[in-house]
Amino acid sequence: MARRHLPSLNALRAFEAFGRHGRMTLAADELCVTHGAVSRQIRQLEEHLGVPLTEGPRSRLRMTEAGLKLAQALSPAFDQIEAAVPRPAEVGPRPLVVSCLPTFAMKWLIPRLPGFQAAHPDIPVRVAESNGPFDFKADGIDLAIRMRTPETVVTYDSVVTPFMEHFHGPVMSPERAAAEPMTLERVCAMPRLLTRTFMESWSDWARNFELDHLPPPVSEQEFDHYFYMLEAAAAGMGVAIGPWAFVQRDLASGRLVAPLGFTPGRARIVAVTPPDGATEAAVLFRDWLLAEGASTPLPPEAACEPRAGR
Amino acid sequence: MARRHLPSLNALRAFEAFGRHGRMTLAADELCVTHGAVSRQIRQLEEHLGVPLTEGPRSRLRMTEAGLKLAQALSPAFDQIEAAVPRPAEVGPRPLVVSCLPTFAMKWLIPRLPGFQAAHPDIPVRVAESNGPFDFKADGIDLAIRMRTPETVVTYDSVVTPFMEHFHGPVMSPERAAAEPMTLERVCAMPRLLTRTFMESWSDWARNFELDHLPPPVSEQEFDHYFYMLEAAAAGMGVAIGPWAFVQRDLASGRLVAPLGFTPGRARIVAVTPPDGATEAAVLFRDWLLAEGASTPLPPEAACEPRAGR
DNA sequence: CGGGCCATGTGAAGAAACCTCACAGAAGGC
DNA sequence: GCCTTCTGTGAGGTTTCTTCACATGGCCCG
């Protein structure tokens, strides 16, 4: 009687993956199936629920608000399931465990990991996605990647190594930006999107314009993850402060635009290792992060376009 | 790369249902499949994980500790998914929404619901399982069923109607009880199992024995739900204070025993309706609860066997 | 201690769900 | 306009899941 009318769990999982990646093709890659399979699952889900979950042209698909809401709720549920399932005993050497923001993992780290694997085929890497506090020993983490502002409260001893510049800027859907020449004032007058992961993004960004106090937003909406915030921006729900590293690809594909360009943020993307000596593998990984960070392209308009100096 | 090695979600769902019901047959009923299907799913899951999740003879199957841990983590995840999925638009009249403890729903309410449906075929009933606080308007609840001690803090106005006596007593696995004649002292010396839903159960029970202070337990373990606490008791992990209404069936089947019998508790099982008038359907339902409560059999040893009076 | 009862395990066959392949359509960029 | 990218879809194959019927193993009771 109770729990019976649920749609196919596989369809939900497919939709959740689509929600995170924003494109069926990428979701299909994650699930190791073809894009057609994902398309069918999502269509089946929409039929079952009688609610459209996606909208827009095929080449620039977005989630509807209902879809965004569903995906946001599904993600933590599947995370919980994943965490609960005991992993089949790992074979081989103990892997290097890297704790990392989910969105950073998806948009930056995982695409580059094959490079590390190629250089160090004997070091298996496991990426543990998490954006909260962590404990090296209790969680078995060798190295963590986090965003840090100078004010970030640190409650633990650790070695912090910044490895990448952090540029960010307001991003939105092309429709929103197309209306008229985009100015700082217009951007400030739009509904703002926030992520719990990095609540200070707006004030951090505003500093570059010597705006001590941003005008109060017409409305604010908060998301649990960067990727949902960015999806909401793509869906035209408002403006988000997007880190360059996270939105690079969406800018290239035209799903998002950044009419004011990017400016350096005060946050740094840092690698954190335990105070009492990192493992050998963690040191190698950190060195690799530094190299990768240095070779990541900067935004073309970096440091340009701020209306007030530096 | 990230989320790929999960076992079949259907298998996890089957196991979660088994975890709640304690028997594959019941889980199969809930999922509308045959017991064989559930059996296969769970076996597949065990093979995939390489960890036994069930143990004991076929006729009295129990979860292992690993299984209990897994099931406990899966339940809230599936709850979350269920809550997130928009229900296909309901047809017909607005259903009567009854908020209820999950275990009470499973072990007492749902088995009796057909009786109500038969008497009032025009009133569809939806059972919303929850054990926390609730808000009649915000959650769309017409009537809530809760456990109440005289001390329960009430933060809202409401009409409270007790409808069933509450008998409870320590329950444990037959193996644990078989060792030697069971006495109050021996029971007090066993590891205690608690449920977050009703933390005061031990002290409430102790009052009947004029024990103002129970001897401190050798160990305590806390569960999120009554049913997992009862499963842990069946698995021999300790002693739980089980409400008669919840354990009646497990006693009959021999999965649990209650060597000290049952005594009246100070808690009452109550129906709660909004202060500003209940709906017509809610009143009918409350009347039906009162009648059902009155006709629920009392424990055979009710009010017997307390070693100290009354 | 043997028969009845109850719940789960299992073999084989059938049903259903799922996936792939290949191609089509639609939008955007150059 | 052509090319690229991404999603939608028809047909058909494959895997997974279910069922049915019966076997198995405990437990209870006389």
Side-chain angles (χ1 to χ4, degrees), chain A residues 237-256:
Chain A
M237 292 167 66
V239 198
I241 296 298
W244 164 249
F246 292 11
V247 298
Q248 202 173 340
R249 189 156 178 181
D250 286 324
L251 292 175
S253 77
R255 278 168 47 88
L256 288 173

Side-chain angles (χ1 to χ4, degrees), chain A residues 8-20 27 30-31 41-42 45 74 78, chain B residues 3-10 12:
Chain A
S8 149
L9 291 174
N10 291 324
L12 291 173
R13 175 163 56 176
F15 179 69
E16 192 270 342
F18 166 72
R20 272 181 296 121
E30 174 181 308
L31 300 170
Q41 293 279 29
I42 292 180
L45 187 59
L74 291 177
F78 282 116
Chain B
R3 192 168 288 171
R4 215 182 296 173
H5 309 288
L6 279 184
S8 149
L9 290 173
N10 291 323
L12 290 174

Side-chain angles (χ1 to χ4, degrees), chain A residues 1 13 30 36 53 89 93 97 111 116 131 140 151 160 183 199 202 207 211 230 237 241 243 260 264 283-284 297 308:
Chain A
M1 173 111 199
R13 175 163 56 176
E30 174 181 308
L53 299 171
V97 178
F116 181 79
N131 48 24
E151 293 81 22
V160 174
T183 63
M199 295 293 280
W202 275 93
R207 282 213 183 75
L211 289 173
L230 296 177
M237 292 167 66
I241 296 298
L260 299 188
V283 172
L284 288 170

Side-chain angles (χ1 to χ4, degrees), chain A residues 63-65 68 173 176 190-193 219 221 223 228 231-239:
Chain A
M63 281 190 282
T64 60
E65 286 204 35
L68 191 59
S173 66
R176 230 174 221 290
M190 288 183 178
R192 284 179 207 158
L193 307 175
S219 77
Q221 196 170 348
F223 296 87
Y228 287 127
E231 286 305 309
M237 292 167 66
V239 198

Side-chain angles (χ1 to χ4, degrees), chain A residues 1-5, chain B residues 29-30 32 110 113 117 125-127:
Chain A
M1 173 111 199
R3 191 168 291 172
R4 215 182 295 169
H5 308 288
Chain B
D29 286 349
E30 175 180 308
C32 301
I110 290 184
L113 261 191
Q117 300 286 13
V125 177
R126 189 160 78 74
V127 178

Side-chain angles (χ1 to χ4, degrees), chain B residues 24-25 35 39-40 43 58:
Chain B
M24 292 197 186
T25 311
H35 73 91
S39 170
R40 285 186 142 70
R43 162 162 298 270
R58 290 202 255 218

